[in-house]
Amino acid sequence: MIDLDAIYKLNIIRPNSKAYLNYLYDYIISLFPTPDCFLEIGAFEASFSMRMRHSYPDSIIYAFEAGKTPYNYHRSIYDYDSQKINYLNLAISDQHGFLNYYVRKDPTTGSNGIIQRDYNVKDPNNSTENNCADIYQVETTKLDSFLENKNLVQNTKCMWIDVEGSSKKVLTGAEKSLKNTFSILIETEECPYWKDQWLRKDVENYLKSQKFYPIARDFDSNESYDIIFIKENILEKIIVQNAIKNYFNMINILVN
């Protein structure tokens, strides 16, 4: 477990550390019993799902992408069906039905979602794309309901969540699903780029209430970054602790 508040105050930047964090996450997953199911929420091209399919040929994989433009584009260039990846044009939220989907100037980017951006807050990653270009309706469902319908809610699973500010909607609709989840990699923000979003501390507090604890984050930015959370009982394993230490050593950061 790491102290995310203390690390944030250090304002450390390590370009390309996100790639190392992804390697760490893949390795940490390999230390678990093989998960029954992988879930990629906010999948875009579903790169996590494709990596997991290569390593886990028998696991069930669902990749959810709410944006119809990136979904149709990636469907046209990747053969998800032959890889047995269930790539779905569906938003995971805290309700069933339909919600507005807000599209910025370039609809193929990963900056669109079911929560409208707060244009009073400067986007440090792409400040020229702060205008909403289109709004349309997308189908939504709770993760718990989706997995219950598939008889998977009790199965073991690992998650990847990158949902452009709507982590609150995803997590609060997944309480049953989290009980048998080993690990989560989730994008978080320190500043409210989206209206009424959960910030990093909100995500951290909720996941701790569900017995997940942070073990590592990337340092490409200090305002928006990914965090790996794992279940409390897994954190106690020495091999996991060593992997975490190796990650921080590799990116040259000293963390107590």
Side-chain angles (χ1 to χ4, degrees):
M1 180 175 170
I2 57 174
D3 186 337
L4 292 169
D5 289 329
I7 291 173
Y8 175 69
K9 291 176 182 177
L10 296 174
N11 195 25
I12 299 169
I13 302 297
R14 293 287 189 274
N16 303 316
S17 61
K18 191 180 292 287
Y20 289 112
L21 188 80
N22 292 347
Y23 298 148
L24 173 65
Y25 192 48
D26 291 2
Y27 177 68
I28 290 290
I29 291 173
S30 76
L31 303 178
F32 307 151
T34 299
D36 298 323
C37 184
F38 291 96
L39 304 171
E40 186 172 6
I41 304 169
F44 203 51
E45 81 279 21
S47 58
F48 173 69
S49 296
M50 288 187 273
R51 294 201 315 271
M52 294 302 101
R53 174 52 73 221
H54 177 76
S55 300
Y56 304 93
D58 297 323
S59 295
I60 299 167
I61 299 178
Y62 282 95
F64 303 93
E65 173 51 51
K68 63 183 179 183
T69 299
Y71 173 82
N72 289 334
Y73 173 73
H74 292 119
R75 264 284 181 197
S76 72
I77 61 175
Y78 297 114
D79 187 356
Y80 297 104
D81 296 335
S82 69
Q83 299 181 72
K84 295 183 180 179
I85 295 172
N86 300 287
Y87 184 57
L88 305 178
N89 187 200
L90 183 65
I92 300 300
S93 183
D94 57 354
Q95 60 186 277
H96 305 287
F98 291 85
L99 287 172
N100 284 340
Y101 186 83
Y102 299 93
V103 182
R104 296 167 78 187
K105 285 183 179 179
D106 182 355
T108 63
T109 69
S111 302
N112 314 302
I114 59 175
I115 296 182
Q116 189 171 10
R117 285 194 67 96
D118 185 345
Y119 299 127
N120 294 315
V121 178
K122 183 179 179 181
D123 180 353
N125 300 314
N126 198 359
S127 61
T128 63
E129 294 291 341
N130 274 345
N131 295 321
C132 183
D134 192 17
I135 301 173
Y136 57 82
Q137 293 275 292
V138 295
E139 185 180 359
T140 72
T141 186
K142 292 182 179 181
L143 186 62
D144 281 348
S145 300
F146 180 89
L147 294 178
E148 283 174 339
N149 289 336
K150 303 293 183 181
N151 294 318
L152 291 172
V153 75
Q154 300 297 329
N155 289 61
T156 58
K157 57 191 78 69
C158 295
M159 299 188 190
W160 179 293
I161 304 173
D162 183 353
V163 287
E164 309 303 321
S166 61
S167 56
K168 177 182 179 181
K169 292 179 178 293
V170 172
L171 293 173
T172 57
E175 191 169 346
K176 294 178 183 177
S177 302
L178 293 175
K179 294 185 185 304
N180 293 295
T181 296
F182 294 143
S183 62
I184 300 169
L185 185 148
I186 185 167
E187 183 184 53
T188 64
E189 292 79 31
E190 294 286 348
C191 297
Y193 301 122
W194 288 270
K195 294 183 177 180
D196 301 318
Q197 74 171 103
W198 268 3
L199 299 180
R200 183 268 302 170
K201 192 67 177 179
D202 303 307
V203 172
E204 181 184 5
N205 288 341
Y206 180 79
L207 286 177
K208 283 183 176 179
S209 76
Q210 304 299 312
K211 306 301 182 185
F212 289 90
Y213 292 91
I215 62 166
R217 54 157 282 195
D218 76 74
F219 294 88
D220 283 23
S221 164
N222 202 39
E223 301 303 323
S224 175
Y225 49 87
D226 296 338
I227 306 171
I228 298 173
F229 289 86
I230 64 176
K231 272 289 173 63
E232 183 178 30
N233 61 317
I234 298 170
L235 182 60
E236 299 170 356
K237 295 183 179 181
I238 295 298
I239 192 169
V240 172
Q241 295 176 19
N242 289 337
I244 297 166
K245 290 178 182 177
N246 289 339
Y247 164 73
F248 283 104
N249 289 336
M250 190 161 40
I251 61 174
N252 194 27
I253 294 177
L254 180 62
V255 175
N256 293 327

